[in-house]
Amino acid sequence: MPELPEVESLRRILVRTAVGRRIASARIGEKELRRRKTADFAAAVRDRRIESISRRAKYLIIGFDGPDALLIHLGMSGSLTHRRDGFSAEMLDPRHDHVAFELDDGTRLVFNDPRRFGIVRLVARDQLADLTELRTLGPEPLSRDFDAEYLAQKARGKKLAIKNLLMDQRIVAGIGNIYASEILFRAGVRPTRRSGRVRRDEIERIVAATPEILRAAISSRGTTFRSYLDSRGEPGRFASRLRVYGREGEPCYTCSTPIRNVVVGQRASFYCPTCQK
Ligand SMILES: [Zn+2]
């Protein structure tokens, strides 16, 4: 499932390739997305210029030169690709193209989602902050609001495993299973530790590790296991730099102890029993 680094990588490429383009026409697919009906907004976005592409947590927000914006979430398996002549991505089955925008330079911006857990929603720009999806989100992990004082306060007294605290979008936005695992490895803290029992120096290490991991992942354009592709239809390259995630039984790069996998909150959680206390 795409997390902050994948969405941010996508955004950075689209800012260069799609901002300034006008939408010539839009086509909405026949099959509905699961989480929210994609109303037929084709008429509303015709002739609109794409003015900005921003991100909040795992949401991409495409701002138009009018009162509207498009809120996009990739869900489990979504991709937003910017296709020009010669574009080919074999894993993108055209039957799962849910929304396709023809742009004024002859390129196409296509939202494809085989499992249909994604969201594509036309919203009023001045109401973005009040949307159910965005209203409850915690601070961005790459912002100054996410500091040790803040995390220590959120962790205080909680029995919840520290990994689940990091994955709770109301606590900090945009981190999922892959990056929570990697952040905790770098910080030397086991994913199963009760949040309330994590010491202050450990909280500080977690907060310091967070931007290091996320920025490294963004510069590798994210992690692809199965479905994630960037806007050019290319996979992210961070998978080869993961230290624990997906490496059960393989030797830790630091100490050679086999990496373990425990289930925390119904999610696989990878850690090194020697490096993480
Ligand atoms: Zn180790």
PDB file of all heavy atoms in Angstrom, residues 252 255 272 275, ligand 1:
ATOM      1  N   CYS A 252      20.316  -9.815   9.735  1.00  0.00           N
ATOM      2  CA  CYS A 252      20.342  -8.366   9.922  1.00  0.00           C
ATOM      3  C   CYS A 252      21.633  -7.819   9.299  1.00  0.00           C
ATOM      4  O   CYS A 252      22.692  -8.399   9.473  1.00  0.00           O
ATOM      5  CB  CYS A 252      20.308  -8.057  11.418  1.00  0.00           C
ATOM      6  SG  CYS A 252      20.578  -6.327  11.826  1.00  0.00           S
ATOM      7  N   CYS A 255      23.998  -6.906  12.451  1.00  0.00           N
ATOM      8  CA  CYS A 255      24.541  -7.866  13.424  1.00  0.00           C
ATOM      9  C   CYS A 255      24.384  -9.320  12.990  1.00  0.00           C
ATOM     10  O   CYS A 255      24.757 -10.223  13.737  1.00  0.00           O
ATOM     11  CB  CYS A 255      23.846  -7.662  14.770  1.00  0.00           C
ATOM     12  SG  CYS A 255      22.140  -8.240  14.755  1.00  0.00           S
ATOM     13  N   CYS A 272      14.751  -6.727  14.227  1.00  0.00           N
ATOM     14  CA  CYS A 272      15.938  -7.480  14.616  1.00  0.00           C
ATOM     15  C   CYS A 272      15.939  -7.617  16.130  1.00  0.00           C
ATOM     16  O   CYS A 272      15.973  -6.599  16.842  1.00  0.00           O
ATOM     17  CB  CYS A 272      17.212  -6.772  14.158  1.00  0.00           C
ATOM     18  SG  CYS A 272      18.678  -7.568  14.859  1.00  0.00           S
ATOM     19  N   CYS A 275      19.283  -5.845  17.563  1.00  0.00           N
ATOM     20  CA  CYS A 275      19.447  -4.393  17.411  1.00  0.00           C
ATOM     21  C   CYS A 275      18.299  -3.586  18.011  1.00  0.00           C
ATOM     22  O   CYS A 275      18.458  -2.415  18.329  1.00  0.00           O
ATOM     23  CB  CYS A 275      19.568  -4.007  15.948  1.00  0.00           C
ATOM     24  SG  CYS A 275      21.042  -4.648  15.138  1.00  0.00           S
TER      25      CYS A 275
HETATM   26 ZN    ZN B   1      20.576  -6.571  14.114  1.00  0.00          ZN
END
